[in-house]
Amino acid sequence: MLIDILFFTFAAVLVGGALGVILSRNPVHSALFLVLCFFTSAVLWLLLEAEFLAVVLVLVYVGAVMVLFLFVVMMLDINIEKMREGFTRYAPLGGLIALIVVAELWWVLWVKHLGLDLSAAAPPMPADYSNTKAVGEVLYTEYVYPFQLAAAVLLIAMVAAITLTMRKRPGARTQHVADQVAVRRQDRVRLVKMDAEGDE
């Protein structure tokens, strides 16, 4: 009974955070709502006795990916007013895509079932069960190529984010290394000789 209460409580928080991600007008606020979604998802993983996935979700996504995402959002200087102009124009298309996603989820969960009994609770794992070992065996045997492909995609995304932030901005002060190395003492320092003045 307590597990069900915790599940529905954190599931409601997760849905609210997801709505905050897509409805917030400030991209930084959307990123913070996404952090909330990651934390609540980690709690749901804990309720399913998947401790390793919960810890990885917090450490990797909240601790690394979201911090990088926040830095990128802050460095891109996104024009929020310009983004709001096209919201109503693309709202019907976004609503249609959302309905398609909901229909697909309904088809997978309630029609096909994927061989799972959704009405029954998950059976408890034995005491010697290692979630980390089970994930590692599947990840590095059956899904090793998709895992490496995901790593390459993340690397490309990181390089692309850095490239986007390195554009030239008007009025920005930059260093010219070649000019700094080629400078001469005569161009910067002028020695002046003055006669010493004695005390009168």
Side-chain angles (χ1 to χ4, degrees), residues 9-24:
T9 301
F10 284 102
V13 175
L14 178 59
V15 172
L19 291 175
V21 171
I22 62 175
L23 296 178
S24 179

Side-chain angles (χ1 to χ4, degrees), residues 70-169:
L70 279 175
F71 278 125
V72 170
V73 167
M74 292 178 182
M75 287 187 293
L76 281 179
D77 293 334
I78 299 175
N79 191 350
I80 300 176
E81 296 297 330
K82 188 175 181 180
M83 290 178 58
R84 293 177 183 173
E85 293 176 357
F87 179 77
T88 55
R89 183 174 57 183
Y90 295 108
L93 178 61
L96 178 62
I97 293 175
L99 288 177
I100 293 174
V101 171
V102 170
E104 290 177 349
L105 290 174
W106 176 80
W107 175 262
V108 170
L109 294 178
W110 278 275
V111 177
K112 297 186 70 174
H113 293 293
L114 295 178
L116 300 174
D117 186 7
L118 299 179
S119 61
M125 297 297 177
D128 57 347
Y129 176 76
S130 176
N131 181 258
T132 306
K133 181 180 178 182
V135 172
E137 288 178 349
V138 175
L139 191 62
Y140 291 105
T141 54
E142 299 180 18
Y143 299 100
V144 62
Y145 293 114
F147 181 70
Q148 297 298 327
L149 180 62
V153 170
L154 287 176
L155 177 62
I156 295 172
M158 184 176 65
V159 173
I162 295 173
T163 305
L164 287 174
T165 58
M166 292 183 65
R167 70 183 187 277
K168 293 183 178 179
R169 298 185 180 92

Side-chain angles (χ1 to χ4, degrees), residues 43-75:
V43 174
L44 295 180
W45 282 116
L46 285 176
L47 293 177
L48 291 174
E49 298 184 8
E51 297 86 3
F52 176 75
L53 295 178
V55 172
V56 168
L57 186 63
V58 173
L59 292 180
V60 175
Y61 282 91
V62 178
V65 176
M66 284 310 303
V67 173
L68 177 63
F69 181 71
L70 279 175
F71 278 125
V72 170
V73 167
M74 292 178 182
M75 287 187 293

Side-chain angles (χ1 to χ4, degrees), residues 31-52:
L32 294 176
F33 275 118
L34 192 56
V35 171
L36 176 64
C37 291
F38 285 147
F39 272 113
T40 51
S41 299
V43 174
L44 295 180
W45 282 116
L46 285 176
L47 293 177
L48 291 174
E49 298 184 8
E51 297 86 3
F52 176 75

